[in-house]
Amino acid sequence: VVVALMVTGLLTTSEALSGFSNPALMTIWALFVVGGGVLQTGLAGAVGRRILAVAGNHPGRLLVVIILAVAVLSGFMSDTGTVAVLLPAIISLANTVKISPSKLLIPLAFGALLGGATTLIGTTPNIIASDALREAGYATFGFFSFTPIGLGLLAAGVVYMLGIGRRLLPDRQSAKAMQKMATPQELVELYQLPDNLYRLRVRRQADVVGKTLAEIALRRNFGLTAVEIQRAPAPRPVMKVGESALVLQSDKTQRLQPEPEIVVQGEDVLVVQGTAEDVAHAAAVLNLGVQPTSAGEGAGLVSQEVGLAEVLLPPRSSLLGKTIVETNFGRRFGLTVLGIHGPSAKGQLGVANTRLRFGDTLLVQGPWERILALRENRQDFVVMGQPETMVGAPARKRAPIALLILLGMLALMVGEIFPVATVTLLAALLMILTGCLTMDEAYSAIDWKSILLVAGMLPMSIALEKAGLVGMAASQLTAWLGGVGPVAVLAILFLVTALFTQVLSNTATAVLLVPIALQAAINLGVQPHALVMTVAIASSMSFATPVGSPTNILVMGAGSYKFGDYAKVGVPLIIVLMVVSMILLPVLFPF
């Protein structure tokens, strides 16, 4: 977009690149860093667990608490990050009260979107709308300007979900077994590990003796996954008398993790996962003996040191579009992928050749510490379950510091002591200087795709205005509806924005339609705040499709949702929220 605007002469170079220095853009990326600090220190998870602890076992109360909890958090950090933090806990709660996760996860995603509409920093369209008012010479929105209408919409959403929405939510009982927060032992059965595990004995004369697992490349060459290496312990001499030595020989087999660098020895037993045909092929080529698996072989994959966990791939994961082999998963993370499930796939996907997609779930096996380490890499993984119950959770000493920085940022915003961009940049800097996150973690916390989208789309709004398209659209809108009144214009703006945001990002939708709302207000001779806020809040109404928001896709696999489930629940909710907005906005922001 930026290049096209420059080469066609619609904008000067300075105008086309102005998005990169826009205060709204600075605010957005600084808030990503602040949110990263809140996540990295465990503050978000602690707050979420504390809030959810009051839910109890009543399904209705659980639904309300989930929506309110995610809304509170998403008012101050990214919607996607909030859902990723709470998702494992919600599935665990669903299993505790014995209801399907599909009854709770759409409310979780929708609650995050509603929560983003409650504060200035809750979502990008709010910041864009406020900045557009500033550039047009009007009073900007304050930190809590969105709160009254946001709370009204949130209350309407809760009532809707407790009534009609609750009945429209699907009950995926058939998929519950695979999507529930299973224990490691249950995962062994769910992924049928006892049925596809084989033992390959390494003969002393086999060519693989003295080679590393990386050199043997079982997955690449034979489609097999090494799960464990069983090795007889070396004899330990304890006494030497003349030419004779007394040695101790333990009868306890060593169980080694299949690290890529580990060297295979004669008489080792490789426990592998795969089909009988692939195992027979590998045994013939590598001169290995095939041994029957014992009844408890699958259960041996889980212990206090080693375990299993399901890992969900979020929208910004660097693994997307690659196969497990291409990601070099074992070497990078020290874990073995035993299975892959897709959100809409039936049965397991091939581990070796499946290209990973957003929402895929990986079954990983390895040391608990390394599974827990994946939780710190929130850009790439959402770890399901609670691996910290198996090992000591990492220290969260800086969580109070992150809380103080967050509260200080909010206080400065409310007091309007400094501009919003200045306050958020200061908070981001303090998060790094105090060690709440490192520079590398700060860079990883920023959603660069969103940043470039904002920087590239902001000049588009300038071009639309210079070309007269904004004025044309606004004039046509007011010509059609101006005689009816500004409330009718509000309704049309809400519907058009809500329609756009089902297929476009909320950022792109806001950038395109906020200028039209401003010009329409000028044509009508009314204050623009109600119309501009209509576009901002309607940009968050991505309820009708899973592709409308990353939060919707993030819960799709875990809830076993289908595409139509979102429309069934979301379309009536959009209509309800439009009615509420038409009632509240003229009162809160008189024309």
Side-chain angles (χ1 to χ4, degrees):
V1 168
V2 170
V3 173
L5 293 174
M6 286 191 293
V7 299
T8 56
L10 289 172
L11 294 183
T12 65
T13 301
S14 297
E15 289 173 331
L17 297 177
S18 61
F20 290 93
S21 61
N22 191 288
L25 185 76
M26 299 296 106
T27 300
I28 293 165
W29 74 251
L31 288 172
F32 276 123
V33 176
V34 173
V38 172
L39 286 169
Q40 202 69 29
T41 58
L43 176 62
V47 173
R49 288 191 296 271
R50 186 69 57 88
I51 295 173
L52 292 173
V54 305
N57 294 328
H58 189 274
R61 186 168 60 183
L62 182 61
L63 186 71
V64 173
V65 171
I66 285 172
I67 296 175
L68 295 180
V70 73
V72 168
L73 289 176
S74 64
F76 305 99
M77 53 185 288
S78 78
D79 299 345
T80 306
T82 302
V83 172
V85 167
L86 294 182
L87 180 61
I90 299 303
I91 298 177
S92 180
L93 283 171
N95 295 327
T96 301
V97 298
K98 294 180 171 57
I99 62 175
S100 173
S102 63
K103 287 290 187 181
L104 300 177
L105 295 184
I106 276 183
L108 174 70
F110 288 6
L113 295 173
L114 289 171
T118 58
T119 67
L120 175 65
I121 64 172
T123 187
T124 303
N126 297 359
I127 299 171
I128 291 173
S130 182
D131 197 65
L133 288 172
R134 178 188 61 79
E135 291 185 351
Y138 294 95
T140 62
F141 292 130
F143 185 83
F144 289 116
S145 295
F146 289 86
T147 305
I149 181 66
L151 291 179
L153 296 175
L154 180 61
V158 170
V159 172
Y160 168 82
M161 278 299 176
L162 277 177
I164 301 173
R166 196 171 164 189
R167 294 178 175 86
L168 296 176
L169 288 167
D171 187 0
R172 297 280 187 259
Q173 295 292 350
S174 60
K176 182 178 176 182
M178 276 307 303
Q179 300 300 339
K180 73 174 186 175
M181 192 67 70
T183 65
Q185 288 76 15
E186 289 171 331
L187 289 175
V188 171
E189 300 295 332
L190 291 174
Y191 282 82
Q192 300 178 325
L193 295 184
D195 298 333
N196 58 10
L197 290 180
Y198 296 87
R199 293 160 54 91
L200 294 174
R201 185 177 65 81
V202 180
R203 299 187 174 101
R204 293 187 180 275
Q205 68 274 22
D207 293 337
V208 298
V209 174
K211 294 183 178 180
T212 65
L213 285 179
E215 292 172 332
I216 300 171
L218 286 174
R219 175 170 284 167
R220 181 179 289 106
N221 296 332
F222 305 101
L224 301 177
T225 300
V227 175
E228 184 180 72
I229 297 178
Q230 298 176 358
R231 179 173 294 171
R236 182 164 58 91
V238 294
M239 182 182 299
K240 186 173 183 179
V241 181
E243 297 299 323
S244 301
L246 177 64
V247 297
L248 288 181
Q249 178 72 50
S250 173
D251 59 355
K252 187 176 182 180
T253 301
Q254 291 180 290
R255 294 179 177 270
L256 307 176
Q257 278 300 296
E259 303 281 355
E261 294 80 12
I262 196 168
V263 177
V264 174
Q265 299 178 5
E267 302 302 329
D268 279 351
V269 174
L270 307 180
V271 180
V272 297
Q273 179 201 31
T275 65
E277 293 79 6
D278 290 336
V279 170
H281 180 214
V285 173
L286 302 177
N287 191 22
L288 305 176
V290 181
Q291 296 181 340
T293 55
S294 60
E297 201 75 64
L301 299 176
V302 181
S303 67
Q304 284 295 111
E305 294 77 28
V306 177
L308 296 167
E310 287 182 304
V311 177
L312 187 68
L313 299 184
R316 290 192 292 135
S317 176
S318 63
L319 281 67
L320 301 184
K322 303 175 183 176
T323 66
I324 292 298
V325 174
E326 290 171 347
T327 62
N328 205 9
F329 196 94
R331 191 180 297 274
R332 285 175 61 190
F333 306 108
L335 296 166
T336 302
V337 177
L338 300 182
I340 303 175
H341 275 271
S344 56
K346 295 181 179 179
Q348 292 194 53
L349 303 172
V351 174
N353 54 13
T354 296
R355 295 207 171 271
L356 300 174
R357 298 182 300 170
F358 176 20
D360 282 349
T361 302
L362 313 181
L363 179 70
V364 299
Q365 188 257 356
W368 284 115
E369 288 84 358
R370 293 186 178 179
I371 293 175
L372 191 61
L374 295 184
R375 179 165 286 177
E376 304 303 316
N377 188 355
R378 293 182 179 86
Q379 176 174 324
D380 289 332
F381 306 106
V382 176
V383 179
M384 314 296 280
Q386 297 177 311
E388 66 270 18
T389 60
M390 303 299 291
V391 294
R396 303 294 192 183
K397 296 179 181 179
R398 293 184 175 85
I401 299 175
L403 178 60
L404 288 175
I405 295 173
L406 184 62
L407 293 176
M409 181 187 76
L410 300 180
L412 289 175
M413 284 183 172
V414 173
E416 298 184 353
I417 300 173
F418 299 108
V420 173
T422 304
V423 174
T424 53
L425 286 168
L426 175 62
L429 178 64
L430 289 175
M431 283 286 185
I432 296 169
L433 292 180
T434 56
C436 291
L437 75 172
T438 66
M439 278 301 301
D440 287 339
E441 290 166 344
Y443 282 119
S444 297
I446 299 172
D447 185 350
W448 293 105
K449 290 182 179 180
S450 296
I451 296 300
L452 290 174
L453 174 65
V454 174
M457 288 300 296
L458 285 173
M460 174 60 82
S461 63
I462 300 174
L464 290 173
E465 290 180 14
K466 288 186 67 174
L469 292 175
V470 170
M472 186 187 304
S475 298
Q476 197 67 44
L477 182 63
T478 53
W480 288 341
L481 302 170
V484 182
V487 175
V489 178
L490 278 183
I492 293 301
L493 278 174
F494 191 102
L495 285 174
V496 172
T497 306
L499 179 64
F500 275 33
T501 200
Q502 306 307 319
V503 292
L504 295 178
S505 74
N506 58 1
T507 300
T509 300
V511 168
L512 291 173
L513 295 179
V514 162
I516 295 177
L518 266 172
Q519 188 61 47
I522 294 172
N523 293 349
L524 290 170
V526 299
Q527 289 295 313
H529 295 80
L531 278 74
V532 171
M533 184 165 282
T534 296
V535 173
I537 60 176
S539 296
S540 297
M541 304 295 143
S542 313
F543 303 134
T545 66
V547 298
S549 169
T551 60
N552 292 350
I553 301 183
L554 198 57
V555 302
M556 188 175 183
S560 296
Y561 294 122
K562 299 177 181 178
F563 198 97
D565 293 332
Y566 292 88
K568 186 187 299 183
V569 182
V571 171
L573 178 58
I574 291 173
I575 295 173
V576 168
L577 296 180
M578 185 186 75
V579 173
V580 173
S581 298
M582 297 309 100
I583 295 173
L584 293 181
L585 281 172
V587 176
L588 296 171
F589 300 95
F591 298 111

